[in-house]
Amino acid sequence: MNQKYTKRTFLLEIFGIVLGLIFLIPFYFVLINSVKSFSEILIDAAALPQEILFANYAKVWEIIQFPRAFWNSLLITVFSNIGIVVISSMAAWKMVRTPGKFSKILFILIVSAMVIPFQTVMIPLMKLGGTLGLINSIPGIVIMYFGFGVPLSLFLYHGFVKTVPLEIEEAARIDGCSQFGVFWRIVFPLLKPITVTVIILNTLWIWNDYLLPLLVLQSAELRTIPLATSSFFAQYTKQWDMGLAALVLGISPVIIFFLFLQRHIIKGIAAGSVK
């Protein structure tokens, strides 16, 4: 029995390693070709570079004005996350603590927005954004991310809030704590696992998003990293050496962020769905 189990475990581990290597192949091509010349990429994209050209990164840094693009992406990602976390956590807590038909219907309506493709609301969103003055501004796109990010975050928070004992909140109210204080002093600190999960998932999405910033941020000064990187891939010319170096610069911060906090994803989702 133990031998069969060990053999099966060994085969699963081998399969997992092989599968992981397959998923790493695109990263290999991006990383290797980011330090090649354009001609060398065209000759053999899979080969190791004959000469490592770190100058590609220096050129990209200046051409796309990477610090400014990085700052724009950081502002949008941070403030979008703050708003999504605050709105979703408070709404989920209120819906769970005030059960009834209205809360159930409201929860279903908000969560059902996840199945609506962005392309179906793209034109009405731009018209409404133009009317409200949200186009070509960082606060405007942050507000739009609130709307697109709340449904999934609310769904995750809703399941996790149910694990918070109601007796803790009742004891806080007896001690004179207000409803606002109960949430921020008692409930919200207990939501840390799912909050980290929500932040990670939304960061990966917002940081790498291309379509919404393309539609909203029309000024060159407001370009995010994906928009700045796309300038190397025009209709008739594709600067692969510069573009791939820009991709490495763009994905490096979010990969580091993900690796640092990825253990919280499974922990938070499992706690919110199982408990």
Side-chain angles (χ1 to χ4, degrees):
M1 184 67 179
N2 291 333
Q3 292 180 350
K4 291 182 179 180
Y5 178 78
T6 304
K7 184 177 180 180
R8 185 174 62 180
T9 304
F10 176 75
L11 292 176
L12 288 175
E13 290 178 352
I14 295 297
F15 176 75
I17 293 173
V18 173
L19 190 63
L21 292 175
I22 292 174
F23 279 112
L24 288 175
I25 290 176
F27 291 96
Y28 167 81
F29 278 96
V30 171
L31 187 62
I32 291 300
N33 290 300
S34 67
V35 292
K36 289 182 181 179
S37 63
F38 183 75
S39 59
E40 193 176 352
I41 294 175
L42 296 181
I43 293 173
D44 190 354
L48 293 173
Q50 297 178 359
E51 181 184 0
I52 299 178
L53 300 177
F54 289 110
N56 291 348
Y57 291 94
K59 292 178 182 178
V60 166
W61 189 279
E62 296 180 0
I63 292 173
I64 67 174
Q65 297 182 335
F66 183 79
R68 184 173 65 186
F70 175 83
W71 179 249
N72 291 336
S73 293
L74 185 64
L75 284 177
I76 293 171
T77 303
V78 169
F79 284 103
S80 297
N81 268 309
I82 292 174
I84 291 172
V85 166
V86 171
I87 296 171
S88 303
S89 60
M90 294 183 70
W93 176 67
K94 190 64 176 177
M95 290 178 186
V96 172
R97 293 301 185 238
T98 56
K101 289 185 178 180
F102 178 77
S103 296
K104 185 178 295 186
I105 293 174
L106 185 61
F107 174 74
I108 293 174
L109 288 175
I110 295 176
V111 172
S112 62
M114 290 190 296
V115 302
I116 301 176
F118 174 75
Q119 290 77 5
T120 61
V121 299
M122 186 168 58
I123 296 177
L125 177 66
M126 292 303 101
K127 290 184 177 180
L128 180 61
T131 303
L132 299 177
L134 302 179
I135 303 299
N136 202 33
S137 71
I138 289 181
I141 194 173
V142 167
I143 293 174
M144 293 182 185
Y145 276 127
F146 290 170
F148 291 109
V150 163
L152 176 60
S153 302
L154 176 67
F155 175 77
L156 296 175
Y157 271 117
H158 194 273
F160 198 91
V161 169
K162 295 177 181 178
T163 67
V164 178
L166 184 59
E167 293 77 9
I168 299 178
E169 300 177 30
E170 294 175 346
R173 290 191 179 93
I174 293 174
D175 291 338
C177 194
S178 64
Q179 188 174 21
F180 186 83
V182 168
F183 177 76
W184 288 111
R185 296 180 181 180
I186 307 299
V187 178
F188 190 74
L190 298 176
L191 302 179
K192 180 181 177 181
I194 198 64
T195 298
V196 175
T197 300
V198 168
I199 290 175
I200 293 174
L201 295 177
N202 286 322
T203 296
L204 295 176
W205 158 53
I206 296 171
W207 185 273
N208 296 309
D209 190 26
Y210 174 77
L211 185 54
L212 186 59
L214 177 66
L215 296 172
V216 178
L217 304 177
Q218 302 169 353
S219 175
E221 290 75 17
L222 299 177
R223 291 190 306 178
T224 59
I225 291 178
L227 291 182
T229 303
S230 68
S231 62
F232 295 111
F233 302 99
Q235 183 176 0
Y236 300 105
T237 60
K238 292 178 173 58
Q239 298 174 272
W240 291 106
D241 50 344
M242 299 290 101
L244 294 175
L247 284 174
V248 173
L249 288 176
I251 65 177
S252 295
V254 74
I255 287 179
I256 295 172
F257 175 79
F258 174 78
L259 292 177
F260 184 70
L261 296 176
Q262 57 90 20
R263 64 187 180 89
H264 293 280
I265 293 182
I266 298 176
K267 179 181 177 182
I269 293 179
S273 60
V274 177
K275 292 183 180 179

